[in-house]
Short mmCIF file of all heavy atoms in Angstrom, two decimals:
data_model
loop_
_atom_site.label_atom_id
_atom_site.label_comp_id
_atom_site.label_asym_id
_atom_site.label_seq_id
_atom_site.Cartn_x
_atom_site.Cartn_y
_atom_site.Cartn_z
N PHE A 198 141.54 140.07 38.52
CA PHE A 198 141.85 138.77 39.21
C PHE A 198 141.01 137.59 38.90
O PHE A 198 141.44 136.47 38.70
CB PHE A 198 141.84 139.06 40.77
CG PHE A 198 142.41 137.86 41.59
CD1 PHE A 198 143.79 137.69 41.65
CD2 PHE A 198 141.55 137.02 42.21
CE1 PHE A 198 144.35 136.63 42.34
CE2 PHE A 198 142.00 136.00 42.94
CZ PHE A 198 143.46 135.74 42.99
N GLU A 199 139.74 137.94 38.67
CA GLU A 199 138.65 136.83 38.36
C GLU A 199 139.09 136.24 36.97
O GLU A 199 138.93 135.07 36.83
CB GLU A 199 137.42 137.57 38.28
CG GLU A 199 136.17 136.73 38.03
CD GLU A 199 134.88 137.45 38.10
OE1 GLU A 199 134.59 137.94 39.16
OE2 GLU A 199 134.22 137.61 37.08
N GLN A 200 139.58 137.05 36.08
CA GLN A 200 139.97 136.52 34.80
C GLN A 200 141.20 135.67 34.81
O GLN A 200 141.36 134.81 33.92
CB GLN A 200 140.22 137.68 33.78
CG GLN A 200 138.95 138.48 33.43
CD GLN A 200 139.29 139.80 32.61
OE1 GLN A 200 140.44 140.06 32.43
NE2 GLN A 200 138.27 140.45 32.28
N GLN A 201 142.02 135.80 35.85
CA GLN A 201 143.28 135.14 35.99
C GLN A 201 143.23 133.92 36.85
O GLN A 201 144.15 133.00 36.70
CB GLN A 201 144.44 136.02 36.45
CG GLN A 201 144.70 137.16 35.42
CD GLN A 201 145.84 137.98 35.98
OE1 GLN A 201 146.88 137.51 36.42
NE2 GLN A 201 145.71 139.33 35.89
N ILE A 202 142.27 133.87 37.73
CA ILE A 202 142.43 132.88 38.90
C ILE A 202 142.40 131.40 38.34
O ILE A 202 143.19 130.63 38.90
CB ILE A 202 141.27 133.08 39.98
CG1 ILE A 202 141.63 132.23 41.19
CG2 ILE A 202 139.91 132.77 39.34
CD1 ILE A 202 140.76 132.61 42.43
N THR A 203 141.69 131.09 37.39
CA THR A 203 141.66 129.67 36.94
C THR A 203 142.93 129.26 36.34
O THR A 203 143.47 128.24 36.72
CB THR A 203 140.42 129.52 35.86
OG1 THR A 203 139.22 129.83 36.55
CG2 THR A 203 140.38 128.02 35.42
N SER A 204 143.52 130.20 35.56
CA SER A 204 144.85 129.80 34.94
C SER A 204 145.98 129.83 35.94
O SER A 204 146.87 129.06 35.89
CB SER A 204 145.21 130.67 33.81
OG SER A 204 145.32 132.06 34.20
N LEU A 205 145.89 130.66 37.04
CA LEU A 205 146.87 130.66 38.16
C LEU A 205 146.86 129.38 38.78
O LEU A 205 147.84 128.81 39.19
CB LEU A 205 146.59 131.77 39.08
CG LEU A 205 146.87 133.19 38.63
CD1 LEU A 205 146.31 134.27 39.69
CD2 LEU A 205 148.32 133.45 38.35
N LEU A 206 145.70 128.84 39.09
CA LEU A 206 145.61 127.60 39.91
C LEU A 206 145.96 126.37 39.08
O LEU A 206 146.32 125.29 39.67
CB LEU A 206 144.12 127.38 40.40
CG LEU A 206 143.65 128.48 41.39
CD1 LEU A 206 142.19 128.30 41.82
CD2 LEU A 206 144.60 128.47 42.63
N GLU A 207 146.08 126.51 37.75
CA GLU A 207 146.52 125.33 36.94
C GLU A 207 148.01 125.30 36.89
O GLU A 207 148.61 124.32 36.49
CB GLU A 207 146.01 125.48 35.61
CG GLU A 207 144.49 125.28 35.41
CD GLU A 207 143.89 125.64 34.12
OE1 GLU A 207 144.59 126.16 33.20
OE2 GLU A 207 142.62 125.35 33.94
N LYS A 208 148.78 126.33 37.33
CA LYS A 208 150.16 126.40 37.28
C LYS A 208 150.77 125.77 38.68
O LYS A 208 150.09 125.88 39.71
CB LYS A 208 150.69 127.81 37.03
CG LYS A 208 150.22 128.27 35.67
CD LYS A 208 150.70 129.77 35.50
CE LYS A 208 150.17 130.22 34.13
NZ LYS A 208 150.71 131.39 33.70
N PRO A 209 152.00 125.29 38.56
CA PRO A 209 152.58 124.79 39.79
C PRO A 209 152.90 125.79 40.83
O PRO A 209 152.89 125.53 42.02
CB PRO A 209 153.84 124.07 39.42
CG PRO A 209 154.14 124.58 37.96
CD PRO A 209 152.88 125.09 37.47
N SER A 210 153.08 127.08 40.41
CA SER A 210 153.33 128.18 41.34
C SER A 210 153.09 129.51 40.64
O SER A 210 152.92 129.57 39.47
CB SER A 210 154.78 128.18 41.81
OG SER A 210 155.65 128.32 40.76
N PHE A 211 152.89 130.50 41.46
CA PHE A 211 152.85 131.89 40.88
C PHE A 211 153.62 132.86 41.72
O PHE A 211 153.96 132.45 42.96
CB PHE A 211 151.43 132.35 40.63
CG PHE A 211 150.52 132.27 41.80
CD1 PHE A 211 150.41 133.35 42.62
CD2 PHE A 211 149.79 131.12 42.06
CE1 PHE A 211 149.46 133.30 43.75
CE2 PHE A 211 148.92 131.04 43.17
CZ PHE A 211 148.83 132.08 43.96
N THR A 224 151.10 126.27 44.36
CA THR A 224 149.65 126.01 44.35
C THR A 224 149.35 124.59 44.94
O THR A 224 148.22 124.48 45.49
CB THR A 224 149.07 126.06 42.85
OG1 THR A 224 149.81 125.26 42.10
CG2 THR A 224 149.10 127.50 42.35
#
Side-chain angles (χ1 to χ4, degrees):
F198 187 76
E199 185 175 294
Q200 292 172 356
Q201 296 181 43
I202 192 165
T203 302
S204 64
L205 288 174
L206 295 174
E207 292 173 352
K208 297 179 182 187
S210 63
F211 56 90
T224 55

